[in-house]
Structures are given as C-alpha cells and as structure tokens.
Amino acid sequence: MNPAKPGETPRTPWIVGVSGASGTPYAAAVLRALLDAGESVDLVVSRASRLTLLDETGIAFRDAHWRDDLREWLARGADGKPDVFDADLDGVRYWGAGDLAAGPSSGSYPAKGMLIVPASTACVAGVALGLSKDLLQRAASVTLKERRPLVVAVRETPLNGQTLRHLVALDDLGASVVPASPGFYAGATHIQDLVDFVAGRVLDAAGVGHGLYRRWKGGLGAGSRTT
C-alpha cells in the first residue's frame, strides 16, 4: 500500500489475529463489524486456525488466494449458510503468519491495537509468556509493549489453573480478556445473534462502535421473545 501523502491521514488499522481455537464465526463477525465501521484491518491467520476454519466452514484459507477465501468466509452466516453477508475488503491487508518481517512485527508500524478472536489456550500462553513463535504472537507482544489496546477473546472450557494464571498475567499487562460467553438478555433468536453478542463485546472492549446486539437498559423481560 502507498504511504500517506503530506496532509493525508495515515492508515492506522486494527490488527486482527485468528488463532486455532474453535469459533471462526466470532472472528468473521468482528471483521465484518470493523469494516462496516469504516476501520482498516490488518489480518493474521495462524496455521492452526486454517485447520479449524476448514473444519467449521469447509473453506481452505490460502495465502495466494486470501482475498477470495476471506470474502467467502465473511459472507457465511454462523449457521453455515453461504452468501448471507456482503463485505467490502478494500480496508483489509493480509499478512502471512510466518512473516516475522511484516509491518505489525514492529512497534513503529502504526496500529490502533489488536484483537485476538478466537484465542486458543496455546495462543494465550504464548502471548502471556512473551513468545514470538509466529506473527500473531509477535504482533500481540508489540501491542502490549507499545501500550496499545489488546483484546483477547479466549474460547475454551473448562479452564485449568495454568490458563487462568496466563489470563491473569495478560490482565496485569493491560490486555482485556473477553471470554467467548454469549449473553441471552439481548433477546437472541438465532445462532448469529449469540455470535454477534460476543463479537460486540470484543468491539466494546476495543472502543469500536457497532450495532451488533441490543444493550441492557434496565428493563426486566426486555430480552423475552414474547415481549
């Protein structure tokens, strides 16, 4: 991409990392909402997440064809139906997980912050320990050292003591830990509603506006299907 010209606002993306945990619809919902909000996105898809994506959607995510594969992925609903959504990918830049010379590997690369969704326990451990085995972990470490927002949407159950300690360490480092735990008070009637709730809470933690779920306003029974 061309650098900003004098007087232009430089591109400052959100980095979105997708790890190998189950929950690829969460990542798709976050990506769609960021693009709908007019945000730029730098995408990092881990090697393990490609296996999960293939298993959950049937989509083989390929570096050489990432734009076509991403478009197919983001068009798919949480129930697996194709061509449910439209997404404009003009604001997306893709970096290979093995590219440790990529922009997000450096603190001098402009970014608003990073969202890891879903985050596996292996990813949580690597980030908490400051490892950089791939670009996803390196970008997360850079985000923390530069004091930028880092949101970790952990998707695992049950959680053992070791993972809980890693999550506490991330919280101590300034990251926001957002478990992929759907809420039901927003009146969900479809699996997409539950996915969007989690995606919305991830974006709330990052301070990005969206309209993915109905917010609590203090009225009991507001989420009931019969009211």
Side-chain angles (χ1 to χ4, degrees):
M1 292 187 176
N2 295 327
K5 297 178 181 178
E8 290 183 345
T9 302
R11 180 180 182 275
T12 309
W14 284 97
I15 302 167
V16 177
V18 185
S19 81
S22 176
T24 54
Y26 293 131
V30 166
L31 287 165
R32 284 193 300 265
L34 285 171
L35 296 173
D36 287 345
E39 299 284 352
S40 297
V41 172
D42 275 22
L43 177 63
V44 181
V45 179
S46 77
R47 290 187 175 91
S49 69
R50 296 167 192 241
L51 299 176
T52 308
L53 183 63
L54 181 63
D55 184 54
E56 294 184 346
T57 69
I59 297 171
F61 196 91
R62 304 159 294 175
D63 285 347
H65 304 280
W66 70 266
R67 189 172 292 274
D68 291 337
D69 297 337
L70 179 61
R71 182 175 290 106
E72 182 183 0
W73 178 20
L74 297 191
R76 192 175 296 266
D79 58 2
K81 292 182 180 178
D83 303 322
V84 175
F85 299 101
D86 291 320
D88 183 354
L89 304 185
D90 286 347
V92 180
R93 184 171 187 178
Y94 172 73
W95 302 95
D99 186 2
L100 291 178
S105 68
S106 172
S108 66
Y109 183 79
K112 291 184 177 179
M114 183 173 184
L115 316 176
I116 305 177
V117 53
S120 66
T121 54
C123 174
V124 166
V127 176
L129 295 173
L131 304 181
S132 295
K133 74 168 189 176
D134 60 11
L135 180 58
L136 195 158
Q137 290 186 5
R138 173 58 185 168
S141 293
V142 167
T143 301
L144 288 172
K145 80 180 183 68
E146 296 296 326
R147 301 295 191 266
R148 296 168 183 160
L150 174 64
V151 183
V152 180
V154 61
R155 215 307 306 165
E156 184 61 84
T157 189
L159 296 172
N160 63 28
Q162 187 176 43
T163 299
L164 290 170
R165 285 187 286 274
H166 288 150
L167 292 172
V168 170
L170 288 177
D171 181 76
D172 289 342
L173 290 168
S176 296
V177 177
V178 181
S181 302
F184 292 82
Y185 60 80
T189 60
H190 191 275
I191 186 174
Q192 189 67 54
D193 298 326
L194 298 175
V195 167
D196 285 348
F197 180 90
V198 171
R201 296 300 288 154
V202 169
L203 294 171
D204 287 345
V208 177
H210 64 87
L212 288 175
Y213 68 90
R214 182 170 62 192
R215 297 183 182 277
W216 176 253
K217 296 181 179 180
L220 292 177
S224 173
R225 299 182 189 181
T226 60
T227 60

